[in-house]
Amino acid sequence: MNVIDTNKPKHGVARGPLRTARQHVLALSLGEPAGIGPDIVLVAWLRRNEDQIPPFLAIGDPGCLARRAAALGLDVPLAVATPDDAIATFAHALPVLPAGPEATAAPGRPDASSAAAARIAIETAADLVQSGRVGAIVTNPIAKSVLYEAGFRFPGHTEFLAHLAGEPPLRPVMLLWSEELAVVPATIHVPLAEVPRLLTRDLLIETGRIVAHDYKERFGIPRPRLVVCGLNPHAGEDGTIGREDEEVVRPAVEALRAEGIDARGPLPADTLFHAAARTTYDVAIGAYHDQVLAPIKALAFERAVNVTLGLPFVRTSPDHGTAFDIAGTGRADPRSLIAALKLARRLADAGR
Amino acid sequence: MNVIDTNKPKHGVARGPLRTARQHVLALSLGEPAGIGPDIVLVAWLRRNEDQIPPFLAIGDPGCLARRAAALGLDVPLAVATPDDAIATFAHALPVLPAGPEATAAPGRPDASSAAAARIAIETAADLVQSGRVGAIVTNPIAKSVLYEAGFRFPGHTEFLAHLAGEPPLRPVMLLWSEELAVVPATIHVPLAEVPRLLTRDLLIETGRIVAHDYKERFGIPRPRLVVCGLNPHAGEDGTIGREDEEVVRPAVEALRAEGIDARGPLPADTLFHAAARTTYDVAIGAYHDQVLAPIKALAFERAVNVTLGLPFVRTSPDHGTAFDIAGTGRADPRSLIAALKLARRLADAGR
């Protein structure tokens, strides 16, 4: 059935590879070798049966994984593998596709090999998913400062992937997803004082379009329900607490509705995230970082997954950093990575 | 024991009334007569035994309560009472201290009597608590627009109480409290664009002092643990995302620490509200409204209580408005009022 499905014309064009994403393994980049990426990859593989983790192919230096397993006292057989044999391998060994240099960094101490190891693993994973050899990619955390020192010129993972996905670069949109709540901050890592200027109608409309498109195409929700938070307290109380909600947010929501997107707003953010309210929408677009990330992390810390919308492929990642302070100690929590793997599988399967 | 406790000198001055707050009933103002205040007061009394609700004395028009009870088909005997006999009355009837005009408004439709009824009930409750005849006050929601039309000149309930409590008016501080989390927004109902200018060192220091003082004096926590959220995402990441966290928030926290207050910050708001993080502090001070109210309402909607700190008496209120649309329908949820009554009792008992 899957084979037949994939050959259905899409937008009038028969699709590429004969096999569907459903049959493809997930590519999992190791991230910063000195971070907790290797730790949680090893633990995730050990829990593959009890946690029903979808098969993944680790991308990076097998030696790094072997050394970390030894340091942690974990009995994890490693097998050099390709996307084609990774699923069969996964049952009895952790499949690894060697990529990049030998990653020699000790836990918590990035070294001269770290930046290239992290970067090349991402590039390799992106190549694999774009050529249809893996179903989706999941990325372990990288250390921006380490990459910057090595000349990396992208603000982060997401922008690098957008660059790898096409020229001119696409505009990626960060979704933070959990079973309880899914949110998109329209502005992200900018000073709060700049938010009112940056939160334009065009930004909200473009964000809403990408979210609605990807919820339909990737999550398989035919008519996703979007809500948009007001910028101001109480969504501005009809313009009495700031004008932006009436002058910027409301027109953007109306423009989205005019395009047939089920969007509502501006809505007061403080009353949007309790259990009853959450049943009324699929995804909440916030004006800024803390407005939506504080609630989702209050509700679903360590279970939230970072998803990049707007890319031509599925990419998820755990919602935490390299955690250098606990790398190699056995204290890293693999739950967010496991949630990221499961969601990547679900999106690869639901996607058209 | 209680009698002895109250007569201990405080700041060198023997305290007033011989009986302690522990022996005093709670005063509960009816709020806007056309709102859900009367509904939830009636239901709270009916649940007094099953929910172990502390005795309260309703302040307002007994006729309004009688009519609402009839409309809702609730069998609630009403008894005109005073603070002195209210506790004895409470077991078999809802004690009411008549105050203000006859409140003739139908549910959902404030009329010419509404503003005076709401205002006089508050004034009466404030008089009772300041003269030591009740242990604390709990206020039902008022409709600001109704009061404004009648010439009321205060931004809201809280400022009116601060005015009644002293000249020059005290600076009241809003605490939103629940079993799960307690938060104080340093700025409240202001446009987001004005927050960076309004969030001064002095504001944060004064807020922190009032919070620490009242947590000690009213909540009975000898050394309350305060955390202060950063203004910017990730608390500014060492000044790379806005300068305010280093230039305003950090010095304010250091000033509080220099005074012996256990304060930490600036801390990233998005990782401050999950279960493990919440065990590390008693109260979180946020830079602005949605940063802290969105998380607490996500976690404890309908169970959060509004507490006014900085007053010379205990005042709590449910964390919702008049809800004109459901007044008189039986659909009003009394949980926040019940939580407000219980917390008021606890604070009156713990306070020195």
Side-chain angles (χ1 to χ4, degrees):
Chain A
M1 283 300 293
N2 294 340
V3 175
I4 294 169
D5 282 343
T6 44
N7 283 319
K8 276 200 300 189
K10 186 189 177 194
H11 302 310
V13 181
R15 295 188 74 199
L18 271 178
R19 294 188 311 171
T20 76
R22 296 170 209 218
Q23 295 166 312
H24 286 57
V25 72
L26 303 175
L28 174 58
S29 64
L30 280 191
E32 163 59 51
I36 61 171
D39 307 51
I40 57 181
V41 170
L42 294 162
V43 175
W45 183 81
L46 285 169
R47 293 197 187 173
R48 66 199 179 285
N49 293 325
E50 64 187 285
D51 285 1
Q52 299 183 291
I53 295 171
F56 57 81
L57 171 65
I59 314 283
D61 172 26
C64 170
L65 278 170
R67 285 188 296 279
R68 192 66 55 88
L72 291 169
L74 297 176
D75 182 18
V76 177
L78 302 173
V80 169
T82 69
D84 299 318
D85 55 25
I87 291 178
T89 300
F90 191 77
H92 57 86
L94 197 169
V96 189
L97 178 68
E102 190 184 359
T104 49
R109 296 213 298 270
D111 70 8
S113 69
S114 282
R119 178 178 51 77
I120 294 170
I122 298 166
E123 289 169 345
T124 305
D127 279 350
L128 291 173
V129 74
Q130 295 200 88
S131 62
R133 296 190 68 204
V134 300
I137 69 174
V138 180
T139 60
N140 272 293
I142 55 177
K144 285 185 223 173
S145 57
V146 174
L147 288 162
Y148 292 164
E149 277 183 34
F152 190 75
R153 63 182 176 86
F154 300 94
H157 233 140
T158 302
E159 295 80 2
F160 185 42
L161 285 165
H163 165 76
L164 295 173
E167 291 287 357
L170 302 172
R171 190 166 86 79
V173 168
M174 182 180 99
L175 167 74
L176 205 62
W177 180 94
S178 70
E179 294 287 351
E180 291 87 346
L181 173 65
V183 300
V184 170
T187 66
I188 311 186
H189 295 132
V190 297
L192 191 82
E194 293 183 20
V195 169
R197 181 178 57 80
L198 295 171
L199 190 78
T200 61
R201 285 189 212 194
D202 284 352
L203 175 71
L204 283 168
I205 292 169
E206 189 190 26
T207 302
R209 279 180 192 146
I210 293 168
V211 171
H213 175 272
D214 275 24
Y215 256 73
K216 189 173 167 184
E217 298 292 321
R218 301 234 180 262
F219 284 75
I221 297 175
R223 191 170 158 73
R225 299 164 301 167
L226 279 56
V227 289
V228 182
C229 298
L231 172 71
N232 294 301
H234 303 181
E237 272 190 10
D238 301 320
T240 60
I241 309 178
R243 297 293 312 160
E244 300 91 340
D245 289 300
E246 296 306 316
E247 293 174 359
V248 177
V249 184
R250 188 177 303 284
V253 171
E254 283 167 4
L256 290 168
R257 294 179 67 86
E259 295 178 13
I261 292 170
D262 182 357
R264 286 186 298 134
L267 296 175
D270 64 329
T271 53
L272 201 51
F273 302 113
H274 61 85
R278 297 198 306 268
T279 64
T280 66
Y281 59 87
D282 296 301
V283 56
I285 298 175
Y288 54 89
H289 187 275
D290 287 356
Q291 188 180 45
V292 289
L293 296 199
I296 191 173
K297 293 188 184 186
L299 294 166
F301 196 64
E302 297 289 6
R303 298 188 307 279
V305 178
N306 191 325
V307 185
T308 309
L309 306 180
L311 295 176
F313 50 81
V314 172
R315 178 253 176 159
T316 70
S317 70
D319 178 42
H320 55 66
T322 52
F324 285 131
D325 54 324
I326 60 167
T329 66
R331 286 168 43 220
D333 188 328
R335 281 180 296 170
S336 184
L337 173 62
I338 290 171
L341 288 161
K342 290 185 174 185
L343 183 64
R345 183 75 269 161
R346 181 175 143 190
L347 299 187
D349 292 349
R352 289 186 295 183
Chain B
M1 282 302 289
N2 293 339
V3 175
I4 294 167
D5 281 342
T6 43
N7 284 317
K8 278 199 298 190
K10 188 190 178 192
H11 303 311
V13 182
R15 294 190 75 200
L18 272 177
R19 293 187 312 173
T20 77
R22 297 170 209 214
Q23 294 166 312
H24 288 55
V25 72
L26 303 174
L28 173 58
S29 64
L30 280 191
E32 163 59 51
I36 60 171
D39 308 50
I40 57 181
V41 170
L42 293 162
V43 174
W45 183 81
L46 285 169
R47 294 196 187 174
R48 66 197 179 287
N49 294 324
E50 64 186 286
D51 284 1
Q52 299 183 289
I53 295 170
F56 57 81
L57 171 65
I59 314 282
D61 173 26
C64 169
L65 279 170
R67 284 188 296 278
R68 192 66 56 86
L72 292 169
L74 297 177
D75 183 14
V76 177
L78 303 173
V80 170
T82 70
D84 299 318
D85 55 23
I87 291 178
T89 301
F90 191 77
H92 58 87
L94 198 169
V96 189
L97 178 68
E102 190 184 358
T104 49
R109 297 214 299 273
D111 70 9
S113 69
S114 283
R119 177 177 53 76
I120 293 171
I122 297 166
E123 289 168 344
T124 305
D127 279 350
L128 291 174
V129 75
Q130 295 201 87
S131 62
R133 296 191 68 203
V134 300
I137 68 174
V138 181
T139 59
N140 273 292
I142 56 176
K144 286 187 224 172
S145 57
V146 173
L147 287 163
Y148 292 163
E149 277 183 33
F152 190 74
R153 64 184 175 85
F154 300 94
H157 232 139
T158 303
E159 294 81 1
F160 184 42
L161 286 165
H163 165 76
L164 294 174
E167 291 288 355
L170 302 171
R171 190 164 87 75
V173 167
M174 184 180 98
L175 166 74
L176 206 61
W177 180 93
S178 69
E179 294 287 350
E180 293 87 347
L181 173 64
V183 300
V184 170
T187 66
I188 312 184
H189 295 131
V190 297
L192 191 84
E194 293 183 21
V195 169
R197 179 177 60 77
L198 295 172
L199 191 79
T200 62
R201 286 188 212 193
D202 285 350
L203 175 72
L204 284 168
I205 292 169
E206 189 190 25
T207 303
R209 281 181 192 146
I210 293 169
V211 170
H213 175 273
D214 276 24
Y215 257 72
K216 191 172 167 186
E217 298 292 322
R218 303 230 179 265
F219 284 74
I221 298 175
R223 193 170 156 74
R225 300 164 300 167
L226 279 56
V227 290
V228 182
C229 298
L231 172 71
N232 293 302
H234 303 183
E237 272 189 12
D238 301 318
T240 60
I241 309 178
R243 298 292 313 159
E244 299 92 340
D245 289 300
E246 296 307 314
E247 295 174 359
V248 177
V249 183
R250 189 177 302 285
V253 171
E254 284 167 4
L256 290 169
R257 294 178 67 86
E259 296 178 13
I261 292 171
D262 182 356
R264 288 186 296 133
L267 297 175
D270 63 328
T271 53
L272 201 51
F273 302 113
H274 60 86
R278 297 199 305 268
T279 64
T280 66
Y281 59 87
D282 296 302
V283 55
I285 297 175
Y288 53 88
H289 187 275
D290 287 357
Q291 188 181 44
V292 288
L293 296 198
I296 191 172
K297 294 188 184 187
L299 294 167
F301 195 64
E302 298 288 6
R303 297 188 308 278
V305 178
N306 192 323
V307 186
T308 309
L309 306 180
L311 295 176
F313 50 80
V314 172
R315 179 253 176 158
T316 70
S317 69
D319 179 43
H320 54 64
T322 51
F324 285 133
D325 53 324
I326 59 167
T329 66
R331 286 166 45 219
D333 188 328
R335 282 180 294 170
S336 185
L337 173 62
I338 291 171
L341 288 162
K342 290 184 174 186
L343 183 64
R345 181 76 267 159
R346 183 175 143 189
L347 300 186
D349 292 349
R352 291 184 294 180

